[in-house]
Each structure stands twice: as structure tokens, then as C-alpha cells.
């Protein structure tokens, strides 16, 4: 399939923010009254989907918007400590040069995303759908399709979480899972995505014509 539109998740897919997240999640737990994450539970949680994680931590759904807002604000304060994965900027540049339309759909804020990308790399992205609720990506995927005028059949979503796969399936979009993000690769593989990417070069190879 010649995918014309690529919808990227941000945290854990393009941005290496897991270490930052692991340092601040218990501050959020104390502030909003959900279960703290013990070090020995991290790998277990990385093997689960978002709904299972929310249930395990005892997060009330009605608190989730406030928690998301708090985390975005914390990230804005710490944005200088969060970088892109090695090869991200080059991969995005190569996709643009190959004529792909790029979008980012993220629960992070657009300001944070642009700051971490840097101005040159941010300019490669055609559409930003940011500030998305935990389970709101499907609606933002549809919005990106309308905005770009590109069909679901010509679109690939790329992300690192099971909820990303679920959102893509809801909209009828193919999915490529990255093996370096928040969710363990074997948990993503069990969801049978169209692609498993182990390096940034794998994304480039799948989405650009051979030279």
C-alpha cells in the first residue's frame, strides 16, 4: 500500500518521554488520589492497555481530564529535559521528501510538541491534533482525514500503545507499532498490527520507495 498520510503519536513514538513520565507519575498519583506506581510494577503495566492501566491504578474517569491537564503543564515546565528519539528528525524529513503528508495526534499540547520537535522539524508536520483525551484519538484521526482530504485506506497510524491500535481500527486505518515506546513490543505484537517497527529506519523503509 502506498500510504499518503502518516498519523504519528508523539510521546513514546517520536519523543523519548518515558523516563520523565516515570519520575512524575507518582506526583500526579498523590495529587489526584490514585495508586502510586511501584518500580516492580512498571513492566507489568507496560504490557497492558490504557483501560487496564486506569483500572489497576484506580483512576476515576471523571478525574482524567484534570490529570491530563496537570501532566501537560508539568511537561511544559520540563520540556527542555525531553528529547526526540535518535533518528526522528531525519525520518520525518525523508518521509516529507518522499511526498508523504505528516500529522501528529497526541494527548500532549501542541505547544509542547512543537517545542520538543524544534522549529525546523515542526514545520514538516502538516496537521496537529493535540490535547486529545486518553480515549479520544479515533475522533482526531477522523478530523485529520477530513483536514487533509486523504482516505483511511491511504493512511497509516504509527504509535506505541494499544489504545492507538484500537483508535486506528475504529477508523479503518492501518497501524504500525513502534517497539521502543511505553508499551512492550510483545503486547503490541499480540494485537496484530500491520507493521512492527524496531528502528526509525524501518519506518522510512516501509513508507518510501526504494532508491
Amino acid at each position: 500500500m502506498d500510504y499518503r498520510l502518516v498519523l504519528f503519536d508523539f510521546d513514546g513514538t517520536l519523543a523519548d518521554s518515558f523516563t520523565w513520565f516515570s519520575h512524575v507519575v507518582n506526583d500526579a498519583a498523590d495529587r489526584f488520589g490514585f495508586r502510586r506506581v511501584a518500580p516492580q510494577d512498571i513492566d507489568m503495566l507496560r504490557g497492558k492497555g490504557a483501560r487496564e492501566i486506569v483500572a489497576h491504578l484506580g483512576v476515576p474517569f471523571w478525574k482524567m481530564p484534570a490529570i491530563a491537564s496537570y501532566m501537560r503543564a508539568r511537561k511544559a515546565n520540563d520540556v527542555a529535559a525531553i528529547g526526540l528519539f535518535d533518528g526522528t528528525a531525519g525520518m520525518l524529513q525523508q518521509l516529507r521528501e518522499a511526498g508523504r503528508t505528516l500529522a501528529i495526534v497526541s494527548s500532549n499540547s501542541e505547544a509542547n510538541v512543537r517545542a520538543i520537535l524544534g522549529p525546523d522539524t515542526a514545520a514538516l508536520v502538516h496537521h496537529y491534533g493535540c490535547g486529545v483525551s486518553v480515549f479520544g484519538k479515533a475522533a482526531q484521526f477522523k478530523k485529520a482525514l477530513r483536514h487533509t482530504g486523504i482516505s483511511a485506506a491511504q493512511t497509516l497510524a504509527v504509535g506505541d500503545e494499544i489504545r492507538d491500535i484500537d483508535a486506528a481500527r475504529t477508523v479503518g486505518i492501518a497501524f504500525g507499532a513502534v517497539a521502543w515506546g511505553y508499551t512492550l513490543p510483545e503486547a503490541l505484537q499480540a494485537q496484530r498490527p500491520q507493521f512492527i517497527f524496531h528502528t526509525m529506519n524501518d519506518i522510512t523503509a516501509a513508507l518510501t520507495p526504494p532508491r
Side-chain angles (χ1 to χ4, degrees), residues 41-75:
D41 290 338
I42 290 176
D43 280 350
M44 177 271 292
L45 292 172
R46 292 184 67 208
K48 296 184 179 297
R51 294 186 187 278
E52 294 173 296
I53 294 171
V54 166
H56 175 83
L57 297 180
V59 180
F61 277 91
W62 65 270
K63 288 187 178 182
M64 291 177 67
I67 295 169
S69 179
Y70 170 79
M71 295 296 280
R72 285 191 289 267
R74 284 290 301 266
K75 196 168 290 180

PDB file of all heavy atoms in Angstrom, residues 41-75:
ATOM      1  N   ASP A  41       6.233  -2.706  39.392  1.00  0.00           N
ATOM      2  CA  ASP A  41       5.001  -2.829  38.598  1.00  0.00           C
ATOM      3  C   ASP A  41       5.137  -2.245  37.197  1.00  0.00           C
ATOM      4  O   ASP A  41       4.225  -2.396  36.373  1.00  0.00           O
ATOM      5  CB  ASP A  41       3.846  -2.121  39.310  1.00  0.00           C
ATOM      6  CG  ASP A  41       3.398  -2.827  40.570  1.00  0.00           C
ATOM      7  OD1 ASP A  41       3.670  -4.046  40.684  1.00  0.00           O
ATOM      8  OD2 ASP A  41       2.793  -2.175  41.440  1.00  0.00           O
ATOM      9  N   ILE A  42       6.252  -1.594  36.910  1.00  0.00           N
ATOM     10  CA  ILE A  42       6.350  -0.871  35.642  1.00  0.00           C
ATOM     11  C   ILE A  42       6.250  -1.800  34.441  1.00  0.00           C
ATOM     12  O   ILE A  42       5.463  -1.559  33.512  1.00  0.00           O
ATOM     13  CB  ILE A  42       7.656  -0.049  35.601  1.00  0.00           C
ATOM     14  CG1 ILE A  42       7.559   1.122  36.581  1.00  0.00           C
ATOM     15  CG2 ILE A  42       7.914   0.471  34.181  1.00  0.00           C
ATOM     16  CD1 ILE A  42       8.831   1.934  36.692  1.00  0.00           C
ATOM     17  N   ASP A  43       7.007  -2.888  34.424  1.00  0.00           N
ATOM     18  CA  ASP A  43       6.948  -3.793  33.272  1.00  0.00           C
ATOM     19  C   ASP A  43       5.577  -4.431  33.134  1.00  0.00           C
ATOM     20  O   ASP A  43       5.092  -4.652  32.009  1.00  0.00           O
ATOM     21  CB  ASP A  43       8.021  -4.869  33.387  1.00  0.00           C
ATOM     22  CG  ASP A  43       9.391  -4.367  32.951  1.00  0.00           C
ATOM     23  OD1 ASP A  43       9.469  -3.256  32.378  1.00  0.00           O
ATOM     24  OD2 ASP A  43      10.387  -5.079  33.176  1.00  0.00           O
ATOM     25  N   MET A  44       4.936  -4.751  34.258  1.00  0.00           N
ATOM     26  CA  MET A  44       3.587  -5.311  34.207  1.00  0.00           C
ATOM     27  C   MET A  44       2.626  -4.322  33.543  1.00  0.00           C
ATOM     28  O   MET A  44       1.839  -4.691  32.662  1.00  0.00           O
ATOM     29  CB  MET A  44       3.111  -5.654  35.615  1.00  0.00           C
ATOM     30  CG  MET A  44       1.679  -6.185  35.717  1.00  0.00           C
ATOM     31  SD  MET A  44       0.439  -4.848  35.936  1.00  0.00           S
ATOM     32  CE  MET A  44       0.859  -4.260  37.581  1.00  0.00           C
ATOM     33  N   LEU A  45       2.694  -3.056  33.928  1.00  0.00           N
ATOM     34  CA  LEU A  45       1.807  -2.048  33.359  1.00  0.00           C
ATOM     35  C   LEU A  45       2.124  -1.783  31.898  1.00  0.00           C
ATOM     36  O   LEU A  45       1.212  -1.496  31.107  1.00  0.00           O
ATOM     37  CB  LEU A  45       1.904  -0.755  34.166  1.00  0.00           C
ATOM     38  CG  LEU A  45       1.345  -0.829  35.591  1.00  0.00           C
ATOM     39  CD1 LEU A  45       1.672   0.446  36.359  1.00  0.00           C
ATOM     40  CD2 LEU A  45      -0.163  -1.061  35.574  1.00  0.00           C
ATOM     41  N   ARG A  46       3.381  -1.901  31.514  1.00  0.00           N
ATOM     42  CA  ARG A  46       3.751  -1.686  30.112  1.00  0.00           C
ATOM     43  C   ARG A  46       3.218  -2.781  29.198  1.00  0.00           C
ATOM     44  O   ARG A  46       3.222  -2.627  27.970  1.00  0.00           O
ATOM     45  CB  ARG A  46       5.269  -1.591  29.976  1.00  0.00           C
ATOM     46  CG  ARG A  46       5.864  -0.339  30.614  1.00  0.00           C
ATOM     47  CD  ARG A  46       7.354  -0.267  30.362  1.00  0.00           C
ATOM     48  NE  ARG A  46       7.644  -0.060  28.956  1.00  0.00           N
ATOM     49  CZ  ARG A  46       8.761  -0.464  28.351  1.00  0.00           C
ATOM     50  NH1 ARG A  46       9.685  -1.130  29.040  1.00  0.00           N
ATOM     51  NH2 ARG A  46       8.947  -0.228  27.074  1.00  0.00           N
ATOM     52  N   GLY A  47       2.735  -3.874  29.775  1.00  0.00           N
ATOM     53  CA  GLY A  47       2.143  -4.937  28.978  1.00  0.00           C
ATOM     54  C   GLY A  47       0.641  -4.837  28.848  1.00  0.00           C
ATOM     55  O   GLY A  47       0.001  -5.709  28.254  1.00  0.00           O
ATOM     56  N   LYS A  48       0.043  -3.769  29.387  1.00  0.00           N
ATOM     57  CA  LYS A  48      -1.410  -3.637  29.414  1.00  0.00           C
ATOM     58  C   LYS A  48      -1.884  -2.471  28.556  1.00  0.00           C
ATOM     59  O   LYS A  48      -1.125  -1.560  28.213  1.00  0.00           O
ATOM     60  CB  LYS A  48      -1.891  -3.440  30.855  1.00  0.00           C
ATOM     61  CG  LYS A  48      -1.625  -4.633  31.759  1.00  0.00           C
ATOM     62  CD  LYS A  48      -2.200  -4.423  33.140  1.00  0.00           C
ATOM     63  CE  LYS A  48      -1.957  -5.635  34.023  1.00  0.00           C
ATOM     64  NZ  LYS A  48      -2.630  -6.850  33.518  1.00  0.00           N
ATOM     65  N   GLY A  49      -3.181  -2.503  28.228  1.00  0.00           N
ATOM     66  CA  GLY A  49      -3.807  -1.399  27.530  1.00  0.00           C
ATOM     67  C   GLY A  49      -4.200  -0.308  28.507  1.00  0.00           C
ATOM     68  O   GLY A  49      -4.183  -0.490  29.729  1.00  0.00           O
ATOM     69  N   ALA A  50      -4.593   0.849  27.957  1.00  0.00           N
ATOM     70  CA  ALA A  50      -4.886   2.010  28.796  1.00  0.00           C
ATOM     71  C   ALA A  50      -6.027   1.751  29.772  1.00  0.00           C
ATOM     72  O   ALA A  50      -5.976   2.176  30.929  1.00  0.00           O
ATOM     73  CB  ALA A  50      -5.211   3.216  27.912  1.00  0.00           C
ATOM     74  N   ARG A  51      -7.064   1.066  29.340  1.00  0.00           N
ATOM     75  CA  ARG A  51      -8.200   0.806  30.241  1.00  0.00           C
ATOM     76  C   ARG A  51      -7.782  -0.082  31.407  1.00  0.00           C
ATOM     77  O   ARG A  51      -8.221   0.120  32.546  1.00  0.00           O
ATOM     78  CB  ARG A  51      -9.369   0.190  29.472  1.00  0.00           C
ATOM     79  CG  ARG A  51      -9.985   1.143  28.451  1.00  0.00           C
ATOM     80  CD  ARG A  51     -11.232   0.569  27.799  1.00  0.00           C
ATOM     81  NE  ARG A  51     -11.694   1.435  26.729  1.00  0.00           N
ATOM     82  CZ  ARG A  51     -12.440   2.534  26.907  1.00  0.00           C
ATOM     83  NH1 ARG A  51     -12.812   2.868  28.134  1.00  0.00           N
ATOM     84  NH2 ARG A  51     -12.812   3.275  25.877  1.00  0.00           N
ATOM     85  N   GLU A  52      -6.929  -1.067  31.133  1.00  0.00           N
ATOM     86  CA  GLU A  52      -6.435  -1.931  32.208  1.00  0.00           C
ATOM     87  C   GLU A  52      -5.548  -1.142  33.176  1.00  0.00           C
ATOM     88  O   GLU A  52      -5.607  -1.353  34.391  1.00  0.00           O
ATOM     89  CB  GLU A  52      -5.641  -3.092  31.616  1.00  0.00           C
ATOM     90  CG  GLU A  52      -6.458  -4.067  30.796  1.00  0.00           C
ATOM     91  CD  GLU A  52      -5.574  -5.095  30.111  1.00  0.00           C
ATOM     92  OE1 GLU A  52      -4.759  -4.707  29.255  1.00  0.00           O
ATOM     93  OE2 GLU A  52      -5.696  -6.292  30.443  1.00  0.00           O
ATOM     94  N   ILE A  53      -4.735  -0.236  32.642  1.00  0.00           N
ATOM     95  CA  ILE A  53      -3.871   0.571  33.498  1.00  0.00           C
ATOM     96  C   ILE A  53      -4.708   1.485  34.389  1.00  0.00           C
ATOM     97  O   ILE A  53      -4.461   1.604  35.596  1.00  0.00           O
ATOM     98  CB  ILE A  53      -2.894   1.395  32.637  1.00  0.00           C
ATOM     99  CG1 ILE A  53      -1.926   0.461  31.909  1.00  0.00           C
ATOM    100  CG2 ILE A  53      -2.126   2.401  33.501  1.00  0.00           C
ATOM    101  CD1 ILE A  53      -1.072   1.165  30.866  1.00  0.00           C
ATOM    102  N   VAL A  54      -5.711   2.121  33.798  1.00  0.00           N
ATOM    103  CA  VAL A  54      -6.595   3.005  34.562  1.00  0.00           C
ATOM    104  C   VAL A  54      -7.280   2.223  35.684  1.00  0.00           C
ATOM    105  O   VAL A  54      -7.377   2.690  36.831  1.00  0.00           O
ATOM    106  CB  VAL A  54      -7.625   3.662  33.623  1.00  0.00           C
ATOM    107  CG1 VAL A  54      -8.756   4.315  34.415  1.00  0.00           C
ATOM    108  CG2 VAL A  54      -6.938   4.697  32.730  1.00  0.00           C
ATOM    109  N   ALA A  55      -7.741   1.009  35.377  1.00  0.00           N
ATOM    110  CA  ALA A  55      -8.408   0.188  36.385  1.00  0.00           C
ATOM    111  C   ALA A  55      -7.438  -0.231  37.488  1.00  0.00           C
ATOM    112  O   ALA A  55      -7.780  -0.194  38.680  1.00  0.00           O
ATOM    113  CB  ALA A  55      -9.024  -1.045  35.720  1.00  0.00           C
ATOM    114  N   HIS A  56      -6.225  -0.622  37.104  1.00  0.00           N
ATOM    115  CA  HIS A  56      -5.235  -1.050  38.095  1.00  0.00           C
ATOM    116  C   HIS A  56      -4.874   0.084  39.053  1.00  0.00           C
ATOM    117  O   HIS A  56      -4.731  -0.137  40.268  1.00  0.00           O
ATOM    118  CB  HIS A  56      -3.968  -1.546  37.392  1.00  0.00           C
ATOM    119  CG  HIS A  56      -2.853  -1.901  38.332  1.00  0.00           C
ATOM    120  ND1 HIS A  56      -2.771  -3.130  38.966  1.00  0.00           N
ATOM    121  CD2 HIS A  56      -1.777  -1.175  38.767  1.00  0.00           C
ATOM    122  CE1 HIS A  56      -1.710  -3.150  39.738  1.00  0.00           C
ATOM    123  NE2 HIS A  56      -1.084  -1.977  39.641  1.00  0.00           N
ATOM    124  N   LEU A  57      -4.733   1.283  38.523  1.00  0.00           N
ATOM    125  CA  LEU A  57      -4.342   2.418  39.352  1.00  0.00           C
ATOM    126  C   LEU A  57      -5.510   3.037  40.107  1.00  0.00           C
ATOM    127  O   LEU A  57      -5.311   3.863  40.996  1.00  0.00           O
ATOM    128  CB  LEU A  57      -3.677   3.497  38.486  1.00  0.00           C
ATOM    129  CG  LEU A  57      -2.369   3.093  37.798  1.00  0.00           C
ATOM    130  CD1 LEU A  57      -1.835   4.255  36.977  1.00  0.00           C
ATOM    131  CD2 LEU A  57      -1.331   2.629  38.808  1.00  0.00           C
ATOM    132  N   GLY A  58      -6.744   2.621  39.767  1.00  0.00           N
ATOM    133  CA  GLY A  58      -7.918   3.160  40.445  1.00  0.00           C
ATOM    134  C   GLY A  58      -8.173   4.618  40.111  1.00  0.00           C
ATOM    135  O   GLY A  58      -8.565   5.407  40.994  1.00  0.00           O
ATOM    136  N   VAL A  59      -7.967   4.979  38.838  1.00  0.00           N
ATOM    137  CA  VAL A  59      -8.179   6.365  38.411  1.00  0.00           C
ATOM    138  C   VAL A  59      -9.650   6.546  38.041  1.00  0.00           C
ATOM    139  O   VAL A  59     -10.125   5.904  37.107  1.00  0.00           O
ATOM    140  CB  VAL A  59      -7.296   6.714  37.200  1.00  0.00           C
ATOM    141  CG1 VAL A  59      -7.532   8.166  36.773  1.00  0.00           C
ATOM    142  CG2 VAL A  59      -5.826   6.482  37.513  1.00  0.00           C
ATOM    143  N   PRO A  60     -10.391   7.412  38.728  1.00  0.00           N
ATOM    144  CA  PRO A  60     -11.776   7.673  38.322  1.00  0.00           C
ATOM    145  C   PRO A  60     -11.804   8.377  36.965  1.00  0.00           C
ATOM    146  O   PRO A  60     -11.020   9.304  36.714  1.00  0.00           O
ATOM    147  CB  PRO A  60     -12.306   8.601  39.417  1.00  0.00           C
ATOM    148  CG  PRO A  60     -11.337   8.488  40.547  1.00  0.00           C
ATOM    149  CD  PRO A  60     -10.017   8.161  39.932  1.00  0.00           C
ATOM    150  N   PHE A  61     -12.703   7.950  36.087  1.00  0.00           N
ATOM    151  CA  PHE A  61     -12.750   8.536  34.751  1.00  0.00           C
ATOM    152  C   PHE A  61     -13.013  10.039  34.803  1.00  0.00           C
ATOM    153  O   PHE A  61     -12.511  10.793  33.982  1.00  0.00           O
ATOM    154  CB  PHE A  61     -13.799   7.828  33.894  1.00  0.00           C
ATOM    155  CG  PHE A  61     -13.304   6.556  33.269  1.00  0.00           C
ATOM    156  CD1 PHE A  61     -13.457   5.340  33.915  1.00  0.00           C
ATOM    157  CD2 PHE A  61     -12.672   6.572  32.040  1.00  0.00           C
ATOM    158  CE1 PHE A  61     -12.991   4.168  33.353  1.00  0.00           C
ATOM    159  CE2 PHE A  61     -12.193   5.398  31.463  1.00  0.00           C
ATOM    160  CZ  PHE A  61     -12.358   4.199  32.121  1.00  0.00           C
ATOM    161  N   TRP A  62     -13.788  10.481  35.805  1.00  0.00           N
ATOM    162  CA  TRP A  62     -14.127  11.898  35.845  1.00  0.00           C
ATOM    163  C   TRP A  62     -12.923  12.772  36.191  1.00  0.00           C
ATOM    164  O   TRP A  62     -12.920  13.981  35.927  1.00  0.00           O
ATOM    165  CB  TRP A  62     -15.274  12.150  36.821  1.00  0.00           C
ATOM    166  CG  TRP A  62     -14.973  11.873  38.275  1.00  0.00           C
ATOM    167  CD1 TRP A  62     -15.146  10.694  38.938  1.00  0.00           C
ATOM    168  CD2 TRP A  62     -14.456  12.802  39.243  1.00  0.00           C
ATOM    169  NE1 TRP A  62     -14.763  10.815  40.255  1.00  0.00           N
ATOM    170  CE2 TRP A  62     -14.347  12.104  40.472  1.00  0.00           C
ATOM    171  CE3 TRP A  62     -14.095  14.152  39.196  1.00  0.00           C
ATOM    172  CZ2 TRP A  62     -13.877  12.712  41.641  1.00  0.00           C
ATOM    173  CZ3 TRP A  62     -13.620  14.759  40.368  1.00  0.00           C
ATOM    174  CH2 TRP A  62     -13.530  14.036  41.561  1.00  0.00           C
ATOM    175  N   LYS A  63     -11.861  12.164  36.770  1.00  0.00           N
ATOM    176  CA  LYS A  63     -10.656  12.922  37.076  1.00  0.00           C
ATOM    177  C   LYS A  63      -9.666  12.974  35.914  1.00  0.00           C
ATOM    178  O   LYS A  63      -8.689  13.735  35.955  1.00  0.00           O
ATOM    179  CB  LYS A  63      -9.945  12.320  38.293  1.00  0.00           C
ATOM    180  CG  LYS A  63     -10.634  12.558  39.619  1.00  0.00           C
ATOM    181  CD  LYS A  63      -9.757  12.080  40.769  1.00  0.00           C
ATOM    182  CE  LYS A  63     -10.412  12.358  42.118  1.00  0.00           C
ATOM    183  NZ  LYS A  63      -9.531  11.932  43.235  1.00  0.00           N
ATOM    184  N   MET A  64      -9.874  12.172  34.895  1.00  0.00           N
ATOM    185  CA  MET A  64      -8.873  12.040  33.843  1.00  0.00           C
ATOM    186  C   MET A  64      -8.580  13.344  33.092  1.00  0.00           C
ATOM    187  O   MET A  64      -7.412  13.634  32.797  1.00  0.00           O
ATOM    188  CB  MET A  64      -9.257  10.908  32.891  1.00  0.00           C
ATOM    189  CG  MET A  64      -9.137   9.542  33.558  1.00  0.00           C
ATOM    190  SD  MET A  64      -9.664   8.164  32.532  1.00  0.00           S
ATOM    191  CE  MET A  64      -8.417   8.196  31.271  1.00  0.00           C
ATOM    192  N   PRO A  65      -9.578  14.180  32.772  1.00  0.00           N
ATOM    193  CA  PRO A  65      -9.228  15.455  32.115  1.00  0.00           C
ATOM    194  C   PRO A  65      -8.323  16.332  32.971  1.00  0.00           C
ATOM    195  O   PRO A  65      -7.379  16.950  32.461  1.00  0.00           O
ATOM    196  CB  PRO A  65     -10.593  16.110  31.871  1.00  0.00           C
ATOM    197  CG  PRO A  65     -11.553  14.966  31.811  1.00  0.00           C
ATOM    198  CD  PRO A  65     -11.047  13.976  32.817  1.00  0.00           C
ATOM    199  N   ALA A  66      -8.595  16.389  34.277  1.00  0.00           N
ATOM    200  CA  ALA A  66      -7.756  17.205  35.167  1.00  0.00           C
ATOM    201  C   ALA A  66      -6.350  16.622  35.267  1.00  0.00           C
ATOM    202  O   ALA A  66      -5.354  17.371  35.299  1.00  0.00           O
ATOM    203  CB  ALA A  66      -8.392  17.299  36.545  1.00  0.00           C
ATOM    204  N   ILE A  67      -6.236  15.302  35.305  1.00  0.00           N
ATOM    205  CA  ILE A  67      -4.919  14.663  35.361  1.00  0.00           C
ATOM    206  C   ILE A  67      -4.139  14.958  34.090  1.00  0.00           C
ATOM    207  O   ILE A  67      -2.946  15.294  34.123  1.00  0.00           O
ATOM    208  CB  ILE A  67      -5.065  13.146  35.584  1.00  0.00           C
ATOM    209  CG1 ILE A  67      -5.688  12.860  36.956  1.00  0.00           C
ATOM    210  CG2 ILE A  67      -3.709  12.453  35.459  1.00  0.00           C
ATOM    211  CD1 ILE A  67      -6.106  11.416  37.151  1.00  0.00           C
ATOM    212  N   ALA A  68      -4.812  14.847  32.940  1.00  0.00           N
ATOM    213  CA  ALA A  68      -4.149  15.121  31.662  1.00  0.00           C
ATOM    214  C   ALA A  68      -3.666  16.566  31.595  1.00  0.00           C
ATOM    215  O   ALA A  68      -2.554  16.847  31.129  1.00  0.00           O
ATOM    216  CB  ALA A  68      -5.097  14.819  30.506  1.00  0.00           C
ATOM    217  N   SER A  69      -4.495  17.489  32.065  1.00  0.00           N
ATOM    218  CA  SER A  69      -4.111  18.895  32.067  1.00  0.00           C
ATOM    219  C   SER A  69      -2.891  19.128  32.958  1.00  0.00           C
ATOM    220  O   SER A  69      -1.963  19.877  32.600  1.00  0.00           O
ATOM    221  CB  SER A  69      -5.288  19.756  32.527  1.00  0.00           C
ATOM    222  OG  SER A  69      -4.942  21.115  32.553  1.00  0.00           O
ATOM    223  N   TYR A  70      -2.895  18.483  34.126  1.00  0.00           N
ATOM    224  CA  TYR A  70      -1.762  18.596  35.050  1.00  0.00           C
ATOM    225  C   TYR A  70      -0.481  18.073  34.411  1.00  0.00           C
ATOM    226  O   TYR A  70       0.588  18.711  34.505  1.00  0.00           O
ATOM    227  CB  TYR A  70      -2.075  17.818  36.328  1.00  0.00           C
ATOM    228  CG  TYR A  70      -0.907  17.645  37.265  1.00  0.00           C
ATOM    229  CD1 TYR A  70      -0.503  18.678  38.110  1.00  0.00           C
ATOM    230  CD2 TYR A  70      -0.206  16.437  37.318  1.00  0.00           C
ATOM    231  CE1 TYR A  70       0.572  18.509  38.972  1.00  0.00           C
ATOM    232  CE2 TYR A  70       0.857  16.263  38.180  1.00  0.00           C
ATOM    233  CZ  TYR A  70       1.249  17.308  39.004  1.00  0.00           C
ATOM    234  OH  TYR A  70       2.316  17.135  39.855  1.00  0.00           O
ATOM    235  N   MET A  71      -0.573  16.929  33.739  1.00  0.00           N
ATOM    236  CA  MET A  71       0.615  16.339  33.126  1.00  0.00           C
ATOM    237  C   MET A  71       1.130  17.201  31.976  1.00  0.00           C
ATOM    238  O   MET A  71       2.349  17.349  31.801  1.00  0.00           O
ATOM    239  CB  MET A  71       0.306  14.918  32.644  1.00  0.00           C
ATOM    240  CG  MET A  71      -0.014  13.942  33.771  1.00  0.00           C
ATOM    241  SD  MET A  71       1.372  13.662  34.910  1.00  0.00           S
ATOM    242  CE  MET A  71       2.340  12.492  33.969  1.00  0.00           C
ATOM    243  N   ARG A  72       0.230  17.793  31.193  1.00  0.00           N
ATOM    244  CA  ARG A  72       0.680  18.690  30.128  1.00  0.00           C
ATOM    245  C   ARG A  72       1.401  19.904  30.706  1.00  0.00           C
ATOM    246  O   ARG A  72       2.418  20.351  30.159  1.00  0.00           O
ATOM    247  CB  ARG A  72      -0.505  19.127  29.260  1.00  0.00           C
ATOM    248  CG  ARG A  72      -1.006  18.055  28.305  1.00  0.00           C
ATOM    249  CD  ARG A  72      -1.977  18.620  27.292  1.00  0.00           C
ATOM    250  NE  ARG A  72      -3.255  18.971  27.880  1.00  0.00           N
ATOM    251  CZ  ARG A  72      -4.305  18.154  27.929  1.00  0.00           C
ATOM    252  NH1 ARG A  72      -4.224  16.930  27.424  1.00  0.00           N
ATOM    253  NH2 ARG A  72      -5.438  18.551  28.475  1.00  0.00           N
ATOM    254  N   ALA A  73       0.879  20.440  31.804  1.00  0.00           N
ATOM    255  CA  ALA A  73       1.520  21.598  32.436  1.00  0.00           C
ATOM    256  C   ALA A  73       2.890  21.225  32.987  1.00  0.00           C
ATOM    257  O   ALA A  73       3.861  21.994  32.856  1.00  0.00           O
ATOM    258  CB  ALA A  73       0.626  22.160  33.529  1.00  0.00           C
ATOM    259  N   ARG A  74       2.989  20.062  33.628  1.00  0.00           N
ATOM    260  CA  ARG A  74       4.289  19.610  34.134  1.00  0.00           C
ATOM    261  C   ARG A  74       5.277  19.432  32.982  1.00  0.00           C
ATOM    262  O   ARG A  74       6.452  19.799  33.083  1.00  0.00           O
ATOM    263  CB  ARG A  74       4.124  18.290  34.894  1.00  0.00           C
ATOM    264  CG  ARG A  74       3.520  18.405  36.274  1.00  0.00           C
ATOM    265  CD  ARG A  74       4.463  19.081  37.256  1.00  0.00           C
ATOM    266  NE  ARG A  74       5.741  18.376  37.401  1.00  0.00           N
ATOM    267  CZ  ARG A  74       5.980  17.466  38.360  1.00  0.00           C
ATOM    268  NH1 ARG A  74       5.036  17.167  39.236  1.00  0.00           N
ATOM    269  NH2 ARG A  74       7.161  16.879  38.438  1.00  0.00           N
ATOM    270  N   LYS A  75       4.780  18.892  31.881  1.00  0.00           N
ATOM    271  CA  LYS A  75       5.665  18.663  30.735  1.00  0.00           C
ATOM    272  C   LYS A  75       6.135  19.986  30.146  1.00  0.00           C
ATOM    273  O   LYS A  75       7.290  20.116  29.714  1.00  0.00           O
ATOM    274  CB  LYS A  75       4.945  17.829  29.684  1.00  0.00           C
ATOM    275  CG  LYS A  75       5.862  17.213  28.641  1.00  0.00           C
ATOM    276  CD  LYS A  75       5.127  16.178  27.819  1.00  0.00           C
ATOM    277  CE  LYS A  75       4.818  14.945  28.635  1.00  0.00           C
ATOM    278  NZ  LYS A  75       4.110  13.907  27.881  1.00  0.00           N
TER     279      LYS A  75
END
